[in-house]
Amino acid sequence: MHLYGPIGAGICAGIALGAVLYRVAPHRDLPQGLYQQVPLRLGRFLFWLGIPLSIVGFMRRADLSGNLYLAPVVAWSAILLGLLCSRLWIRADQEPWARPTQGSFSLAAMLGNTGYIGYPVVLLLPQLGVSVFGWALFYDALGTLLGSYGLGAILASEMGGQRLNLAQSWQRQWSTRLRAVVRNPIILAFGLGLGLKAIALPAWLDLALYRFAWAIVVLSLMLMGLRIQQLSSWQHLHRATIAVAIKMLVLPLAVGLGLTILGVDGPPRLVMILQAGMPCAFSNLVLAEAYDLDRDLSVTCVGLSSASLLFTLPLWLWAFSGE
């Protein structure tokens, strides 16, 4: 209840706001209408300013000692395992798969929402909290984020129906993607937070940053609710169920067993298991739109996995909360 109460309240508030906007806002079906613009502008605010500043605020209270380098290693291991499992399933299936559908399926199995929903889950759990936020941050910033706009973009470009301009050299494509990752505000905030951690800020500024960071957690949950309220496609439910099962059952179980064998336990292990089991990333929708993948399958995976989180969280807490 300590976890589901705030998460449920934030998501339900976003769903309710979306329902109200759908009923009362003019031009609800047009891109310029409030129904479409509110989540779009809130997402941009969170991406460019809100989440980066919240990272700085939480990092000042997070314990960044220990083997934090293990988090991105685990993240990349989970991403590659998700890609492998998705490719094996596609090969084993007797039915033909269109290449855009293959791309959306693999992205859903690989990449999770370790930012907008992963951060609040780690921060709100009483057995975790701000002190182990560094593990979640390293997992997301150096793992999922780079995986989404690095390996994820490469996969999407290969599988997408919209082929890239052949005149553009591979080196130029790669350098463009690399610049996009380096300029990402979350990566910049990551570096800024590391630099400011050792600097003594005025008490009022430090407290304001911390309170602002918690407000951003609430807004992130509301954005999740707004996006869920706008989901309208539930096609390809069978394939979406398989992708979500890989992402939210196979990957966290593999991470949990692997870390246990390596002797990693306690809160760091639980953080990485939960991050590995987060719902399918909203970045999958961005990649699906940009590279002309199977958008219906991507939308279905996001909606199904978001609902499944309520059932998978207790499973991992029960299985791996102990020492």
Side-chain angles (χ1 to χ4, degrees):
M1 292 302 297
H2 184 86
L3 173 66
Y4 282 6
I7 289 180
I11 293 176
C12 288
I15 292 174
L17 177 59
V20 170
L21 290 174
Y22 183 78
R23 289 184 176 275
V24 304
H27 313 297
R28 64 189 182 192
D29 296 324
L30 299 178
Q32 65 268 27
L34 283 178
Y35 180 65
Q36 303 291 340
Q37 284 295 314
V38 168
L40 179 63
R41 293 183 180 275
L42 177 57
R44 287 176 178 173
F45 165 75
L46 291 174
F47 179 76
W48 289 106
L49 185 63
I51 290 181
L53 283 179
S54 73
I55 286 173
V56 174
F58 283 129
M59 281 184 72
R60 295 190 60 79
R61 286 169 168 78
D63 181 8
L64 299 184
S65 62
N67 300 324
L68 289 178
Y69 67 86
L70 184 60
V73 173
V74 172
W76 275 99
S77 299
I79 289 171
L80 294 176
L81 178 60
L83 176 60
L84 175 62
C85 290
S86 69
R87 302 307 300 171
L88 290 176
W89 183 270
I90 292 171
R91 286 179 177 270
D93 196 355
Q94 300 298 321
E95 298 182 6
W97 289 61
R99 288 180 64 83
T101 301
Q102 292 184 39
S104 290
F105 183 83
S106 292
L107 289 176
M110 293 163 50
L111 303 171
N113 195 340
T114 54
Y116 288 115
I117 192 68
Y119 289 169
V121 167
V122 171
L123 291 166
L124 292 169
L125 270 174
Q127 57 266 65
L128 296 178
V130 178
S131 62
V132 293
F133 177 70
W135 288 89
L137 177 60
F138 273 65
Y139 191 106
D140 176 62
L142 300 182
T144 304
L145 183 63
L146 297 180
S148 296
Y149 298 104
L151 179 60
I154 294 172
L155 177 67
S157 66
E158 291 298 319
M159 295 293 183
Q162 180 179 347
R163 307 301 295 175
L164 293 175
N165 186 357
L166 296 178
Q168 186 181 24
S169 67
W170 171 255
Q171 292 80 4
R172 184 177 178 184
Q173 296 169 20
W174 179 254
S175 64
T176 300
R177 293 185 185 119
L178 183 61
R179 284 197 302 270
V181 171
V182 172
R183 294 173 181 173
N184 189 290
I186 294 176
I187 294 293
L188 297 177
F190 179 76
L192 180 62
L194 289 176
L196 290 178
K197 188 170 176 60
I199 299 177
L201 296 179
W204 66 268
L205 179 57
D206 188 64
L207 181 60
L209 272 174
Y210 186 62
R211 290 179 174 175
F212 177 82
W214 277 110
I216 293 303
V217 170
V218 176
L219 289 178
S220 297
L221 293 172
M222 289 186 65
L223 177 63
M224 187 80 173
L226 280 166
R227 291 302 190 188
I228 290 175
Q229 195 277 332
Q230 289 185 341
L231 294 177
S232 58
S233 174
W234 291 93
Q235 302 180 36
H236 311 297
L237 193 58
H238 172 69
R239 288 175 174 173
T241 301
I242 301 301
V244 170
I246 294 172
K247 179 66 193 69
M248 302 188 69
L249 293 177
V250 175
L251 299 192
L253 179 61
V255 167
L257 295 177
L259 291 175
T260 302
I261 292 172
L262 292 175
V264 180
D265 56 17
R269 179 183 66 177
L270 184 57
V271 169
M272 289 184 280
I273 292 170
L274 293 179
Q275 291 292 77
M278 284 297 107
C280 302
F282 278 121
S283 63
N284 294 347
L285 300 180
V286 176
L287 293 172
E289 291 285 357
Y291 294 97
D292 198 17
L293 298 178
D294 190 332
R295 187 178 185 277
D296 287 338
L297 178 58
S298 296
V299 169
T300 305
C301 288
V302 169
L304 181 62
S305 62
S306 299
S308 300
L309 182 65
L310 296 176
F311 303 98
T312 57
L313 265 181
L315 174 63
W316 307 126
L317 292 175
W318 169 76
F320 293 103
S321 282
E323 294 294 328

